Amino acid sequence: AKAIAAQMTDIVNQEWQVLDTQKTAMTGAEHYRQATYSDICVLMPTRTGLDHLELAMDRTGIPYRLEGASLVFATQEIKDLTNCLRSIDDSSDQVALVAALRSPAFSCSDLDLLRFVNARGKLSYQEESIDEEGPVSESLDVLQKYHADRLWISVPFLIDRFIRDRMLMESALGNQRYRQQWRRYRFLVEQARAFEQAGGNSLSRFLDWVDQQTQEGVRVTEIPVPETDV
């Protein structure tokens, strides 16, 4: 991965020449120009090891965009969001609750969680409320409201509202490839809409379906939106 990233950097910095197809077509004679990162395409038979290549390119400062079929259900953005939804659906799921609180939707630190547990004794939004301020208490209040709302609003609307209320689209701007995160958030909302149109009518069943897609390693083609600045 480091060698590939270094090679791409050399291509641009050492001003490798590539055929200028537009000028060549206009004049009828071959013309060449300096290579840019947009002239480079890395083809991979499988996505095994892709995370190493992404890390190497990030460290080198190489801009890139992923295209093709991916394990989108296994991405961190989808995992974080579904953990929040699982906690909303099942108040007794302690694993999902802790994962939700530590996700970008709530951003509670381990120290925040420790202080809350030491003061209250248990992580739960179904317990009686306490007069304690802090990120964990505020987050539990939000989860409790969504837990009640899930019974009377549609699954896609609930997910879309959660993304907007928790400002997940805005917080993604801190990531170099924020459009990719946006696309995956929108993807889960669209999947929820399709699930509802197919007869699915509960958050629990939708999450079971997402679990099945993840376990089966379902690949989905992520179609990138044209980006003029990349």
Side-chain angles (χ1 to χ4, degrees):
K2 291 179 181 178
I4 293 172
Q7 183 70 80
M8 288 190 280
T9 302
D10 288 343
I11 289 172
V12 175
N13 293 342
Q14 296 177 10
E15 300 184 3
W16 288 25
Q17 298 295 295
V18 295
L19 183 68
D20 189 328
T21 55
Q22 186 175 5
K23 187 174 288 188
T24 298
M26 290 175 60
T27 63
E30 287 189 359
H31 288 272
Y32 293 85
R33 59 174 174 78
Q34 181 180 341
T36 65
Y37 285 119
S38 61
D39 292 308
I40 303 172
C41 177
V42 180
L43 303 178
M44 304 180 70
T46 69
R47 294 176 71 93
T48 303
L50 177 60
D51 54 339
H52 297 293
L53 182 58
E54 286 187 274
L55 183 60
M57 289 191 288
D58 283 337
R59 289 174 174 171
T60 314
I62 298 174
Y64 65 91
R65 185 173 66 193
L66 297 176
E67 297 189 28
S70 67
L71 299 170
V72 64
F73 288 103
T75 60
Q76 192 61 47
E77 295 88 354
I78 299 298
K79 287 181 179 178
D80 288 337
L81 185 51
T82 52
N83 277 325
C84 292
L85 298 174
R86 287 190 184 95
S87 182
I88 289 170
D89 181 63
D90 183 0
S91 61
S92 65
D93 192 333
Q94 288 281 295
V95 174
L97 177 58
V98 172
L101 293 173
R102 297 180 75 250
S103 74
F106 299 105
S107 300
C108 295
S109 68
D110 290 338
L111 184 57
D112 292 329
L113 297 174
L114 178 61
R115 286 173 176 168
F116 183 87
V117 171
N118 285 340
R120 189 171 180 178
K122 184 179 181 182
L123 272 175
S124 174
Y125 59 77
Q126 293 291 56
E127 302 292 326
E128 294 182 3
S129 61
I130 60 175
D131 297 329
E132 179 183 335
E133 295 183 357
V136 177
S137 296
E138 294 170 3
S139 300
L140 293 175
D141 287 341
V142 172
L143 290 170
Q144 186 177 39
K145 292 175 182 176
Y146 272 94
H147 180 72
D149 290 347
R150 85 194 193 287
L151 298 175
W152 59 273
I153 61 177
S154 69
V155 175
F157 182 78
L158 182 142
I159 298 174
D160 185 63
R161 195 177 77 178
F162 183 83
I163 292 171
R164 294 176 186 277
D165 287 351
R166 303 313 301 170
M167 301 183 70
L168 292 180
M169 304 294 267
E170 290 84 352
S171 64
L173 288 169
N175 190 300
Q176 185 178 0
R177 293 180 305 283
Y178 57 90
R179 289 187 183 88
Q180 179 174 284
Q181 289 184 246
W182 288 354
R183 189 164 65 241
R184 288 169 179 171
Y185 290 143
R186 290 194 295 263
F187 166 80
L188 195 65
V189 175
E190 291 302 321
Q191 292 298 304
R193 289 198 181 104
F195 183 81
E196 185 180 53
Q197 292 172 0
N201 56 4
S202 74
L203 179 59
S204 178
R205 290 185 179 181
F206 175 68
L207 292 173
D208 288 343
W209 178 81
V210 171
D211 280 342
Q212 183 180 359
Q213 306 307 299
T214 305
Q215 292 170 8
E216 294 178 358
V218 173
R219 294 181 179 271
V220 179
T221 299
E222 295 186 76
I223 302 175
V225 178
E227 302 164 4
T228 58
D229 61 334
V230 175

